[in-house]
Amino acid sequence: MGNRLVRMGIDVGGTHTKAVAIDNATHEIIGKSSVKTTHDDRYGVAAGVVKAFQNCLRENDIAPEDVIFVAHSTTQATNALIEGDVACVGVLGMGPGGMEGFLAKHQTRLKDIDLGSGRSIKIKNRYLSDSEEDENTVRKAVEELKAEGAQVLVASDAYGVDDIAGEQFVFEIAHDEMGMETTVASDITKLYGLTRRTRTAAINASILPKMLNTANSTEESVRKAGVEVPLMIMRGDGGVMEINEMKKRPVLTMLSGPAASVMGSLMYLRASNGVYFEVGGTTTNIGVIKNGRPAIDYSVVGGHRTYISSLDVRVLGVAGGSMIRVNKSGVHDVGPRSAHIAGLDYAVFTDEEEIVEPRLEFFSPKEGDPEDYVAIRLKSGKRITITNSCAANVLGLVTPKDFSYGSVNSARKAMQPIADYLNTTVEDVASQILTRAYEKIEPIIMELADKYRLEHDQISLVGVGGGATSLIGFCANKMNIKYSVPENAEVISSIGVALAMVRDVVERVVPNPTPDDIRSIKREAVDKAVESGAAPGSVEVHIEIDPQTSKLTAIALGSTEVKTTDLLKECSEEEARNLAAEDLRSGPEALNLVGQTPNFYVYNMESRGRKPLRILDKKGFIKVQRTDGEVVLAKASSYRSIVSRMWEEMAIFKADAILRPDYYLCVGARVMDFNGTGELEQILMLMDVEMQMVDPSEDIVIVGAKNQL
């Protein structure tokens, strides 16, 4: 074989730690390996990461020197916060003295941060005014905080966003000289809002000791295995960063578990808009992909919004292994307790011979739980239970190739006592079970679709995770939407980790940004991505302006090495037309090819007075899905006049607002999107910055899409 280069992704789940090796050139899966997650090991979950990694190398004859990328997701940050496994934080606030300082002092003075579940992050506070800030006062303040029990430090200066010198000064004394783990608030975010900035930094500091410990032991073990490339860690926003960056900003790895499954779904999902649906045994994660990017929001810790961007994922306690609750009126609830937590086997995974004289029993799985959860006692005395997976098997929704397939007869026999109790049939019980699950899932899907303005005809469900097939078909059919379960769905998270890009975000408040402001934030974002491990030539930056909050955001994405090959085959116009037609739910003959460049096909059709459109790239990926739009094929030099005309012609007037169109420019191999918030001048300015390098005579496609809502 020789010179086959390998990317390795390792996903740490609640139950299993799974490693996947992927051929860097073809993205084919070379090997998979799974071990039980090592919660109780001396090295914590790091032990499992290393074990899965080494098994995967050994079982698939991969030489350590052929590994060019290693990354792992981690639930460590989230778990540390949920379980209250956190350090006591000393906050050193800084700012002006006198009356002016009164406000800054108040805003940096944090209360303990409640983590729910009766645990909290303990906070100790000190404030220094700028005039009294020197080595002695800083050292004294740090000593006092230590004496009160602070194990880690946060430096937060009222002017830190614009001038980091003060925070940096504290870092040099506290960390470099006094050896105390320290978080500098401006490292975490460049947004104003002193309290929220300081709080986000404090959450980061509270998990530093725990995360550093794991990071160091994982890194050491990977080195021992002979792999020389930097170890990357998954972030909660779906990117990866180098372990050295993670040591500064571990809080960015919050929610990296769900993030991994989204990134994996994106690789297999050919549509640009959809709802993904990761079903495990205990929980289901639901989130949105919009215009080919996962939806992102600030995460909330203990009820407080932070400045940490992570994927906007809803976690539901209803999944493949959720147990059912029954009363005389029928099955009235499913979950949140799972068979795994109650220590009972699923009926559908029990041998048919064992199911003799099954009897219905009610019980409370954990102290304080309701007492109407169902168990089935067998003649042997053993107890088993009924789950969503059992119901799905009975209704024939699961096929033998699926992860959650089991013995239909076992499930039927075990469900018979419930049917007798309710004077109905086993099929009816199964359908009640999945209907209860659906009633919990459907509002979440609709709320997300509403929040991210996905029109109903664009929602397609993508099911991943071991339990996906037991729920997805039932829900999709009830909602009348399309769905798919990609191959390798059960290791999708590890695939997402292996193929993830380096990602970094810079956010600033800039009231009326100029082209120079935009260029400067782009440069800053590129630099950060390169610091986090991206190859300089591979970084692309997407800019967003929020006129309501004057917030300027730059999102940089890059890969750890520059890609030369891309082995996905190009698709013909006919194949592209068929893919677009299937997505538009129409016959191929109804579509018009309204724009074509060397990299893209654009189709639209007439439908009830609207012109729905789809933009596909030459690999057959649907880049843009809109319900009503106009497409113009033009020279690059004329984008300003066309966009300005659409601004007026495609506006929709509502009683209280004017909805302006969103724009897409297909230039070269890129689709750039510009949403119609803000002023026409701002949108044109963003376009100017992107278009300044483009040859004026190049053919581009300009799309204006009406905003319906």
Side-chain angles (χ1 to χ4, degrees):
M1 296 287 290
N3 68 15
R4 172 184 67 172
L5 300 177
V6 178
R7 300 176 75 85
M8 189 85 102
I10 305 158
D11 176 59
V12 182
T15 318
H16 292 102
T17 295
K18 297 176 178 167
V20 167
I22 292 182
D23 183 308
N24 186 51
T26 64
H27 286 185
E28 279 171 289
I29 294 183
I30 302 168
K32 318 177 194 181
S33 186
S34 172
V35 301
K36 281 265 194 278
T37 299
T38 50
H39 296 290
D40 306 325
D41 192 274
R42 188 158 72 90
Y43 292 110
V45 295
V49 169
V50 171
K51 205 157 128 193
F53 173 75
Q54 288 172 328
N55 291 355
C56 201
L57 289 181
R58 196 184 60 247
E59 290 158 17
N60 304 292
D61 283 337
I62 299 166
E65 56 274 18
D66 292 344
V67 178
I68 58 159
F69 177 91
V70 188
H72 74 87
S73 75
T74 170
T75 47
Q76 193 107 27
T78 315
N79 293 352
L81 291 167
I82 291 171
E83 292 158 17
D85 191 353
V86 288
C88 173
V89 180
V91 174
L92 184 51
M94 294 167 286
M99 269 318 285
E100 215 189 329
F102 183 75
L103 189 61
K105 183 171 182 174
H106 178 71
Q107 289 177 327
T108 55
R109 196 177 181 80
L110 298 186
K111 298 189 180 64
D112 289 356
I113 299 170
D114 179 11
L115 297 171
S117 69
R119 328 252 167 137
S120 59
I121 301 174
K122 298 276 179 273
I123 308 276
K124 309 293 177 195
N125 293 282
R126 280 290 178 282
Y127 183 83
L128 288 179
S129 70
D130 296 334
S131 56
E132 54 184 21
E133 208 180 291
D134 61 34
E135 274 192 49
N136 293 332
T137 53
V138 170
R139 191 174 275 117
K140 180 165 169 281
V142 175
E143 291 294 358
E144 287 172 9
L145 286 166
K146 269 176 126 164
E148 287 182 34
Q151 299 156 291
V152 289
L153 191 72
V154 165
S156 183
D157 188 327
Y159 304 120
V161 172
D162 305 303
D163 178 8
I164 64 166
E167 294 180 353
Q168 210 45 54
F169 181 64
V170 171
F171 183 84
E172 283 160 16
I173 295 171
H175 180 270
D176 301 351
E177 292 177 25
M178 300 172 70
M180 191 169 186
E181 290 304 339
T182 302
T183 291
V184 173
S186 52
D187 255 354
I188 307 288
T189 174
K190 292 280 200 294
L191 290 179
Y192 297 105
L194 187 52
T195 308
R196 188 157 149 197
R197 239 179 92 226
T198 310
R199 187 188 303 119
T200 305
I203 293 169
N204 186 70
S206 76
I207 55 177
L208 269 174
K210 174 95 181 161
M211 298 294 285
L212 282 172
N213 206 345
T214 308
N216 291 334
S217 51
T218 314
E219 191 175 31
E220 191 186 329
S221 317
V222 171
R223 292 282 161 272
K224 276 192 190 137
V227 173
E228 296 301 324
V229 293
L231 180 61
M232 311 295 282
I233 313 278
M234 191 89 184
R235 300 160 47 121
D237 62 10
V240 289
M241 57 185 182
E242 266 194 24
I243 199 157
N244 293 331
E245 275 300 296
M246 196 280 276
K247 290 174 184 175
K248 278 202 299 219
R249 302 183 286 167
V251 71
L252 297 183
T253 67
M254 266 170 50
L255 300 174
S256 82
S261 64
V262 185
M263 300 324 281
S265 311
L266 269 178
M267 308 292 168
Y268 281 92
L269 175 67
R270 292 191 93 92
S272 58
N273 291 331
V275 175
Y276 57 84
F277 191 91
E278 187 196 15
V279 186
T282 308
T283 54
T284 292
N285 298 324
I286 300 177
V288 167
I289 290 164
K290 173 91 194 246
N291 295 336
R293 282 196 279 275
I296 288 197
D297 203 350
Y298 291 127
S299 49
V300 175
V301 174
H304 298 293
R305 287 175 74 75
T306 64
Y307 278 140
I308 302 147
S309 295
S310 62
L311 297 186
D312 193 359
V313 176
R314 302 285 189 277
V315 181
L316 270 184
V318 52
S322 301
M323 297 191 298
I324 66 169
R325 295 172 56 196
V326 169
N327 57 24
K328 266 300 181 199
S329 63
V331 179
H332 70 94
D333 200 4
V334 173
R337 283 282 174 244
S338 67
H340 180 64
I341 300 285
L344 299 179
D345 288 341
Y346 301 15
V348 72
F349 298 144
T350 305
D351 269 343
E352 200 186 331
E353 286 76 73
E354 284 192 56
I355 302 184
V356 182
E357 295 174 24
R359 287 202 326 278
L360 173 60
E361 288 187 359
F362 293 107
F363 78 118
S364 162
K366 284 259 190 247
E367 203 176 322
D369 283 351
E371 298 182 350
D372 56 3
Y373 277 97
V374 165
I376 302 294
R377 190 172 290 277
L378 308 177
K379 188 177 180 185
S380 63
K382 177 177 171 180
R383 291 198 314 171
I384 58 176
T385 191
I386 305 294
T387 64
N388 280 319
S389 299
C390 302
N393 275 276
V394 165
L395 295 177
L397 299 173
V398 191
T399 63
K401 64 174 198 320
D402 292 323
F403 201 72
S404 44
Y405 182 76
S407 158
V408 177
N409 286 346
S410 295
R412 293 189 66 95
K413 278 179 154 176
M415 279 161 76
Q416 192 60 54
I418 306 172
D420 296 344
Y421 179 78
L422 297 172
N423 294 324
T424 182
T425 63
V426 165
E427 281 74 13
D428 180 51
V429 172
S431 130
Q432 283 189 43
I433 292 173
L434 291 184
T435 304
R436 292 300 92 78
Y438 163 75
E439 284 162 0
K440 288 183 159 180
I441 290 166
E442 190 265 352
I444 303 278
I445 292 176
M446 293 324 289
E447 179 213 333
L448 282 167
D450 194 39
K451 178 172 175 181
Y452 292 103
R453 308 213 306 236
L454 287 182
E455 286 132 18
H456 191 272
D457 65 337
Q458 297 172 7
I459 305 176
S460 71
L461 282 182
V462 186
V464 294
T469 42
S470 58
L471 291 175
I472 189 168
F474 189 85
C475 291
N477 295 340
K478 262 206 179 310
M479 294 176 75
N480 184 28
I481 51 186
K482 299 176 301 220
Y483 78 96
S484 60
V485 177
E487 55 180 338
N488 295 309
E490 82 289 355
V491 288
I492 205 89
S493 297
S494 307
I495 294 170
V497 178
L499 297 177
M501 307 271 278
V502 176
R503 182 187 159 107
D504 236 303
V505 182
V506 178
E507 298 180 300
R508 285 186 173 286
V509 176
V510 184
N512 289 303
T514 63
D516 279 345
D517 291 328
I518 290 170
R519 279 189 207 87
S520 127
I521 196 171
K522 275 185 83 161
R523 269 199 305 274
E524 193 177 338
V526 170
D527 291 346
K528 281 194 92 152
V530 171
E531 259 177 57
S532 291
S538 71
V539 182
E540 285 198 359
V541 182
H542 173 72
I543 301 274
E544 289 168 7
I545 298 179
D546 181 342
Q548 265 77 42
T549 58
S550 301
K551 193 172 78 177
L552 189 57
T553 306
I555 301 164
L557 275 177
S559 55
T560 49
E561 21 86 58
V562 182
K563 284 247 184 325
T564 44
T565 64
D566 202 340
L567 292 183
L568 270 174
K569 294 197 307 296
E570 294 221 340
C571 63
S572 65
E573 193 275 321
E574 185 190 0
E575 288 173 291
R577 175 181 292 268
N578 286 331
L579 287 164
E582 185 191 336
D583 198 60
L584 284 159
R585 299 191 168 185
S586 92
E589 63 291 339
L591 270 55
N592 314 307
L593 178 63
V594 282
Q596 184 177 354
T597 69
N599 293 290
F600 298 101
Y601 298 108
V602 187
Y603 297 95
N604 73 3
M605 60 185 273
E606 298 289 337
S607 166
R608 302 193 295 280
R610 292 179 171 180
K611 288 193 167 165
L613 67 93
R614 299 292 184 261
I615 302 179
L616 285 82
D617 66 14
K618 292 285 165 95
K619 306 272 191 276
F621 282 84
I622 299 174
K623 292 300 202 186
V624 176
Q625 296 163 294
R626 293 300 292 242
T627 304
D628 195 4
E630 184 193 341
V631 182
V632 180
L633 192 60
K635 295 288 177 211
S637 56
S638 57
Y639 69 92
R640 288 188 73 111
S641 55
I642 294 169
V643 165
S644 307
R645 173 181 63 73
M646 289 175 170
W647 179 261
E648 296 304 335
E649 287 179 8
M650 300 184 75
I652 292 182
F653 294 87
K654 286 276 193 250
D656 56 347
I658 306 178
L659 296 176
R660 299 292 184 178
D662 293 337
Y663 300 97
Y664 301 89
L665 301 184
C666 301
V667 182
R670 298 208 292 161
V671 178
M672 299 179 277
D673 59 79
F674 303 90
N675 52 11
T677 50
E679 290 307 310
L680 178 58
E681 282 314 306
Q682 279 194 336
I683 289 171
L684 288 171
M685 179 177 67
L686 282 174
M687 290 180 178
D688 295 343
V689 172
E690 294 295 345
M691 297 292 285
Q692 62 191 20
M693 306 301 287
V694 177
D695 177 352
S697 65
E698 189 180 325
D699 284 325
I700 65 170
V701 177
I702 302 169
V703 174
K706 286 185 180 171
N707 274 311
Q708 303 298 336
L709 296 166

